[in-house]
Amino acid sequence: SMGGQSSGLYIGVLDIFGFEIFDHNSFEQLCINYTNEMLQQHFNNNTFKLEEKVYTEEGIDWDHIDFIDNQPMIELLTKKREGILPILDDELRVPNGSDKGFLSKLTKKHGGGNVPRRKAKEKEANDSIFGTVLKRPKHFTVQHYAGVVEYDSVGFLEKNRDTLNAD
């Protein structure tokens, strides 16, 4: 304390995982949520997986902490030829590629149906974390770490067409 004044104690919490779930979600939200999935995976790896490995190697007695491993979500988004983003990139390369073609390929690859629910111990990314919304045919849903997000596929191709500057 300074000058005889006592300072209050506090705890600050920084929430770096800014998942966005709005009434209308498009390509931008998918990119933001993908980034946050990667941040969550980094946190899981460093906080749980690597620490457990060190404890085991050093023979420290510890209790396993259950946590949701979001590796299946990362694969649903990024896996070569199967992930949402690679399928979107592929649709840009085909003649007459369209948002409709993208959604069709996505649904064919990962299944359709109502909004899915992820099983706690699931190992593979499949239609339990992806689905198309029957009432809104141009929409699809993804079970993110933070919750189910419904995305409107209209405009996905055009928004993904932008290229980065060489700089």
Side-chain angles (χ1 to χ4, degrees):
S1 68
M2 298 181 75
Q5 296 177 342
S6 64
S7 62
L9 300 176
Y10 70 92
I11 297 175
V13 178
L14 175 62
D15 176 12
I16 63 169
F17 308 121
F19 282 92
E20 291 189 354
I21 304 174
F22 298 116
D23 290 337
H24 183 261
N25 301 285
S26 189
F27 181 72
E28 298 84 356
Q29 281 73 37
L30 181 67
C31 292
I32 290 166
N33 292 337
Y34 163 60
T35 301
N36 286 295
E37 289 287 353
M38 295 300 287
L39 285 170
Q40 184 65 48
Q41 184 184 55
H42 179 77
F43 174 82
N44 286 347
N45 284 337
N46 286 283
T47 305
F48 300 117
K49 294 179 182 179
L50 293 178
E51 285 300 313
E52 287 182 356
K53 183 179 176 190
V54 168
Y55 288 4
T56 301
E57 288 172 354
E58 295 184 6
I60 298 171
D61 188 27
W62 57 277
D63 293 328
H64 175 76
I65 298 172
D66 284 329
F67 64 95
I68 297 172
D69 185 354
N70 69 335
Q71 183 59 38
M73 172 50 51
I74 302 295
E75 290 176 9
L76 176 70
L77 290 166
T78 62
K79 191 172 183 179
K80 192 174 182 178
R81 293 191 298 275
E82 294 182 17
I84 293 171
L85 296 173
I87 289 172
L88 182 60
D89 288 341
D90 288 344
E91 187 66 15
L92 279 173
R93 290 189 276 273
V94 300
N96 301 317
S98 66
D99 295 327
K100 185 178 179 181
F102 158 67
L103 185 59
S104 176
K105 289 174 183 166
L106 198 56
T107 302
K108 184 176 180 184
K109 190 61 150 172
H110 294 286
N114 292 314
V115 176
R117 300 287 177 224
R118 178 172 51 196
K119 297 172 188 160
K121 300 278 184 187
E122 185 164 6
K123 297 285 187 232
E124 294 181 33
N126 59 32
D127 46 309
S128 67
I129 58 176
F130 169 85
T132 51
V133 181
L134 300 177
K135 294 176 187 171
R136 298 167 83 173
K138 295 180 180 176
H139 291 67
F140 64 95
T141 61
V142 173
Q143 170 70 59
H144 283 284
Y145 187 87
V148 175
V149 181
E150 180 181 325
Y151 294 100
D152 181 350
S153 67
V154 174
F156 261 52
L157 252 68
E158 194 54 40
K159 291 173 182 178
N160 192 46
R161 195 177 309 277
D162 290 345
T163 57
L164 296 174
N165 292 332
D167 294 342

